[in-house]
Amino acid sequence: MKKLFILFLVLIVNLSFSQKGKEFILKSPNEKIEIRILVNDKITWTISHEKDVILAPSTMSITLGENQVLGKNAVVLNSKTATVNTSFDAPFYKKKSVKNNYNQLTVNFKNDFSVEYRAFDDGVAYRFVTKKKKDITVQSEEVVLNFDQDFPTLMPYVRDLRNPKDPYISSFEAHYENKKISEFAKDTLAFLPFLIDYKNHKKAVFLEASLEDYPGLFVTNNPSKSGFEGRFSHYPLQEKNGGFNNINRLITDRADYLVQTKGTRNFPWRIVVISENDSALANNDMVQKLSEPTQIKDLSWIKPGKVAWDWWNDWNIYNIDFKAGINTETYKYYIDFASKNKVEYVVLDEGWSLEEDIMKHNPNVDLEALLAYGKERNVGIILWSSWMALTKNTDGILKNYVDLGIKGFKVDFLDRDDAKMVQSVYDIAQKAADQHLLLDFHGMYKPTGIQRTFPNILNFEGVKGLENNKWTPNDDVPTYDCTIPFIRMVAGPMDYTPGAMRNATKSEFKPSHSNPMSQGTRCHQLALYTIFEAPLQMMADSPTAYMKEQESTDFIAKTPTTFDETVALDGEVGKFVAITRRKNTTWYLGAITNWDSRDITIDFSFLEKGKKFEAEIFSDGLNADKAATDYKREIITVDSNTKLKYHLAPGGGLAAIIQLKN
């Protein structure tokens, strides 16, 4: 009996040691990227790209109720690997089809959970998966990002004055601060995506995907200042009105947990996108690849397009015989402009209704008359609403307005990404899809893939867009414009709202409420319609301003908002970017620079060989350094062998439409 007991102890010890120090290695299809997973008392992963350490050993875990930690002293049951090489259609995207090639490792653990790892040629990701029969409470999640050197970062920090005691109330609008990891801003959080610069042309962007029924990820610095730790907003228990015009919902009490959720579920992907050159970041599909496929069977009613927008230009139309403002006559003028220029939509922003009750209209706005007027002219109408007002009776409001003929809603002032808000976004998306309504989420956290799941969501803000030109004179906008294609746009489309016709040099720029201007040249603004992804793209300036600049307006109107193919030609984060996109047989090209003037060479080798193309090119004028509205328009013949050099003025740009010759 004693011998049997000793043998039993030996077996237990051997089994225990067999679970310690288990190591798994997963490589990308091209074998440049390697993930090394170590299961010991904790689960850690290390990422390397060739000989460079992208992420030093970093732990991961999820703590459930009753202090059950998934990832602490975890016991491996088995593991399996798979290789996937496929593609999927992307009908409202920057390309018609997305290639999806990766190697996957799934490690199954005792206690009904797994961790899935994927290695792509352009990055890596992991997520937790649980298979528990009963619902679970997620107390916390451990997301650690450690680095072996003090690398420079480009980090967007949370700085929102509406509720200083709650750092999780945020508009998710911030310029990127260039600081080393150890210099992370004290006593604050940063939101995703952000960038690490490894100083050897390699960079990494950190973000998340498939965020459903779960709070969004923030980061702060770890105690040793050698990396970052994840932070999440706890579930809201009590809220009150506050913020701008009292139309935000501010949290007054939070639970001691993140979310109560299903026990069998996939958790969000934690993603590291890795690039060997900056331009690759401007044409990345990682979030799209890691998102859930569409839930909408019939997509035929979803119509992307451009939108004549009222708010940025302060309804400032003139040379008319009526008083401009939030009234029926003004909106008919916007509809006439949209119809004449084949702009698909007009948005009625704040003021068309009561802000707290959008079922009550502004008496100066005859909505039914405007809908009939727009229908006659083939112009759809989109309505603005705060999230708070829409969620008072989402079903009733959507049904009421779809019956009237509205095409969609611009939903504003969400300003949170706790689990309650995230689930509300999914709820609104589903209900809007059921009613065949489009959505533009303004005042919104960064996209995390729901745009693939619910493609009726055509745009998201989560970016410090053109509206900020109205009140922030000290912002360096051209540099930001040359940064977000490599960071924020990796997450998905951006409701930046370009299109300013009053353009200013650095010394001449000033904020203006009713006659707002942009920093940089006219060609910089024109180029943004190709560079910035936005299936629902605003035209921010006044119809009067556009009609005075009809040549530029014609160019914008001809530029589509979704494409069949994208090629990132060149770029350097924060300095310049050049992108071309194809729709059918026509190519659209945009290039912009920061406040540094520069010469760039456009290589037209992306064009079909053996074919001739006619290029309509808008380039900075000779005097654009003093008069930012100065530009040159020319029409030339090009082919795949053409290489042309252009000078970009400070804050300048280049824009082109390149059509196949008959």
Side-chain angles (χ1 to χ4, degrees):
M1 185 69 182
K2 188 175 181 181
K3 289 182 180 179
L4 285 174
F5 180 70
I6 293 172
L7 179 61
F8 178 67
L9 285 177
V10 169
L11 285 172
I12 288 179
V13 170
N14 286 341
L15 181 62
S16 175
F17 275 106
S18 72
Q19 300 301 330
K20 298 292 183 181
K22 274 190 173 293
E23 186 176 65
F24 302 88
I25 294 175
L26 181 66
K27 293 188 176 183
S28 59
N30 65 8
E31 297 191 346
K32 287 187 176 183
I33 298 175
E34 179 183 277
I35 308 174
R36 190 173 292 267
I37 300 116
L38 181 62
V39 180
N40 212 311
D41 54 335
K42 293 185 176 182
I43 303 173
T44 64
W45 73 331
T46 305
I47 306 167
S48 58
H49 185 281
E50 296 176 321
K51 295 182 180 180
D52 297 305
V53 176
I54 302 299
L55 192 70
S58 300
T59 57
M60 59 192 69
S61 69
I62 292 179
T63 300
L64 305 182
E66 299 178 353
N67 204 31
Q68 180 185 169
V69 183
L70 309 183
K72 181 180 180 181
N73 297 321
V75 177
V76 175
L77 296 178
N78 55 61
S79 65
K80 61 180 180 178
T81 59
T83 296
V84 174
N85 190 1
T86 185
S87 63
F88 57 86
D89 294 336
F92 311 111
Y93 191 48
K94 61 188 174 185
K95 56 192 67 170
K96 203 170 188 177
S97 179
V98 174
K99 294 180 181 178
N100 197 16
N101 181 204
Y102 60 87
N103 292 327
Q104 177 167 299
L105 168 69
T106 302
V107 184
N108 297 308
F109 295 93
K110 187 179 179 181
N111 204 14
D112 301 320
F113 81 97
S114 307
V115 184
E116 294 180 359
Y117 301 89
R118 289 185 186 175
F120 304 79
D121 287 343
D122 58 352
V124 300
Y126 79 85
R127 70 176 174 186
F128 279 83
V129 178
T130 54
K131 294 181 179 179
K132 296 181 179 293
K133 294 179 181 179
K134 296 182 179 180
D135 289 352
I136 56 176
T137 298
V138 180
Q139 300 291 151
S140 63
E141 181 181 351
E142 181 185 28
V143 178
V144 174
L145 303 172
N146 291 327
F147 302 90
D148 67 345
Q149 296 181 44
D150 195 11
F151 296 115
T153 74
L154 284 172
M155 193 75 67
Y157 291 100
V158 176
R159 295 212 169 99
D160 199 299
L161 301 177
R162 282 170 292 187
N163 192 6
K165 295 181 180 179
D166 189 345
Y168 298 103
I169 298 294
S170 173
S171 63
F172 300 90
E173 300 174 344
H175 282 215
Y176 296 97
E177 296 189 29
N178 190 348
K179 296 181 177 182
K180 290 185 176 181
I181 292 170
S182 62
E183 298 170 339
F184 190 95
K186 186 179 179 181
D187 298 327
T188 190
L189 301 173
F191 54 88
L192 276 56
F194 64 87
L195 179 144
I196 302 292
D197 184 353
Y198 295 90
K199 286 299 181 184
N200 55 359
H201 302 293
K202 294 181 183 178
K203 293 182 174 67
V205 173
F206 294 76
L207 60 167
E208 62 184 339
S210 222
L211 179 68
E212 182 176 3
D213 195 25
Y214 206 78
L217 172 63
F218 295 78
V219 296
T220 191
N221 57 325
N222 63 18
S224 65
K225 296 185 178 182
S226 61
F228 310 115
E229 297 177 350
R231 293 289 184 270
F232 299 88
S233 54
H234 284 219
Y235 197 86
L237 293 178
Q238 294 184 5
E239 306 171 32
K240 68 175 183 178
N241 291 0
F244 176 77
N245 283 359
N246 221 35
I247 58 174
N248 279 109
R249 294 291 286 168
L250 304 181
I251 313 303
T252 58
D253 187 26
R254 292 186 184 273
D256 62 355
Y257 56 83
L258 305 186
V259 66
Q260 293 176 330
T261 185
K262 294 179 180 178
T264 298
R265 62 161 296 172
N266 299 325
F267 285 81
W269 288 103
R270 310 294 170 215
I271 307 170
V272 186
V273 171
I274 302 165
S275 74
E276 296 182 75
N277 59 78
D278 289 9
S279 61
L281 291 173
N283 186 21
N284 187 275
D285 304 310
M286 188 66 79
V287 170
Q288 199 81 355
K289 291 185 289 192
L290 290 169
S291 301
E292 295 300 313
T294 180
Q295 299 293 303
I296 304 174
K297 292 181 179 179
D298 174 21
L299 304 178
S300 62
W301 57 272
I302 300 175
K303 306 293 184 185
K306 288 177 288 295
V307 186
W309 187 32
D310 51 5
W311 181 90
W312 190 76
N313 54 78
D314 194 29
W315 298 265
N316 188 8
I317 56 176
Y318 47 92
N319 296 329
I320 51 177
D321 58 2
F322 59 88
K323 183 65 176 175
I326 305 174
N327 56 52
T328 303
E329 292 82 4
T330 297
Y331 281 123
K332 283 185 175 180
Y333 188 94
Y334 277 78
I335 291 170
D336 285 338
F337 161 75
S339 179
K340 179 182 176 182
N341 291 280
K342 297 182 179 179
V343 173
E344 292 84 351
Y345 301 102
V346 168
V347 66
L348 276 57
D349 213 288
E350 64 172 337
W352 71 271
S353 70
L354 300 186
E355 287 190 337
E356 69 277 8
D357 186 353
I358 62 170
M359 295 295 281
K360 296 179 181 178
H361 300 180
N362 181 334
N364 297 319
V365 177
D366 188 338
L367 185 59
E368 292 189 19
L370 290 173
L371 286 163
Y373 195 78
K375 187 175 182 180
E376 290 174 358
R377 288 154 181 78
N378 201 30
V379 176
I381 290 181
I382 294 171
L383 298 178
W384 177 93
S385 173
S386 71
W387 170 82
M388 183 186 71
L390 182 62
T391 53
K392 285 183 177 180
N393 178 17
T394 306
D395 292 302
I397 291 169
L398 296 183
K399 180 67 167 61
N400 176 75
Y401 285 111
V402 79
D403 287 347
L404 287 177
I406 292 299
K407 299 299 182 183
F409 276 88
K410 176 182 177 181
V411 186
D412 206 349
F413 290 101
L414 290 78
D415 295 336
R416 295 161 29 200
D417 68 350
D418 51 57
K420 182 177 180 180
M421 179 59 75
V422 169
Q423 202 51 38
S424 176
V425 170
Y426 274 82
D427 180 62
I428 294 169
Q430 180 66 70
K431 291 176 177 179
D434 292 342
Q435 298 288 349
H436 287 194
L437 287 168
L438 306 176
L439 291 170
D440 172 14
F441 279 111
H442 210 67
M444 169 73 172
Y445 57 88
K446 80 283 180 190
T448 58
I450 191 176
Q451 65 272 25
R452 182 184 172 199
T453 313
F454 288 98
N456 58 317
I457 305 176
L458 291 177
N459 216 350
F460 304 78
E461 194 180 18
V463 66
K464 198 172 175 68
L466 191 72
E467 66 180 19
N468 291 273
N469 282 243
K470 288 166 71 83
W471 55 72
T472 50
N474 297 320
D475 282 352
D476 183 348
V477 176
T479 296
Y480 183 64
D481 291 349
C482 293
T483 304
I484 49 180
F486 306 98
I487 306 177
R488 163 60 181 81
M489 206 165 71
V490 179
M494 308 184 300
D495 195 16
Y496 181 97
T497 70
M501 293 292 104
R502 286 172 292 273
N503 317 109
T505 62
K506 190 174 185 178
S507 61
E508 295 295 319
F509 174 79
K510 61 181 180 181
S512 172
H513 181 71
S514 296
N515 289 284
M517 59 181 70
S518 69
Q519 295 184 26
T521 70
R522 170 69 54 78
C523 290
H524 187 105
Q525 287 294 303
L526 297 183
L528 298 184
Y529 282 90
T530 294
I531 294 171
F532 288 172
E533 296 169 28
L536 193 68
Q537 182 67 280
M538 300 287 168
M539 295 175 66
D541 220 324
S542 159
T544 307
Y546 283 125
M547 288 188 287
K548 288 174 64 178
E549 301 289 349
Q550 193 62 47
E551 199 169 57
S552 296
T553 303
D554 289 343
F555 183 91
I556 295 170
K558 288 187 289 187
T559 303
T561 62
T562 61
F563 300 89
D564 298 331
E565 183 181 356
T566 289
V567 179
L569 298 173
D570 201 359
E572 189 173 348
V573 176
K575 295 184 178 181
F576 76 103
V577 63
I579 294 174
T580 187
R581 308 186 195 271
R582 178 180 60 81
K583 185 77 168 184
N584 299 320
T585 60
T586 301
W587 288 86
Y588 303 82
L589 187 148
I592 55 173
T593 183
N594 58 11
W595 281 125
D596 296 328
S597 63
R598 72 184 69 246
D599 294 325
I600 64 170
T601 298
I602 301 297
D603 183 342
F604 289 83
S605 59
F606 55 85
L607 296 175
E608 185 180 351
K609 289 179 171 53
K611 302 284 188 179
K612 294 292 184 182
F613 291 79
E614 181 179 271
E616 178 186 12
I617 300 176
F618 284 68
S619 56
D620 290 329
L622 288 173
N623 299 298
D625 59 333
K626 290 185 177 180
T629 55
D630 187 29
Y631 67 86
K632 176 184 177 181
R633 176 181 177 269
E634 58 182 335
I635 296 178
I636 61 174
T637 298
V638 297
D639 59 29
S640 61
N641 297 313
T642 303
K643 292 183 181 180
L644 297 175
K645 182 178 285 188
Y646 286 92
H647 180 74
L648 304 186
L654 174 76
I657 298 175
I658 308 157
Q659 293 181 295
L660 183 65
K661 275 192 167 186
N662 294 327

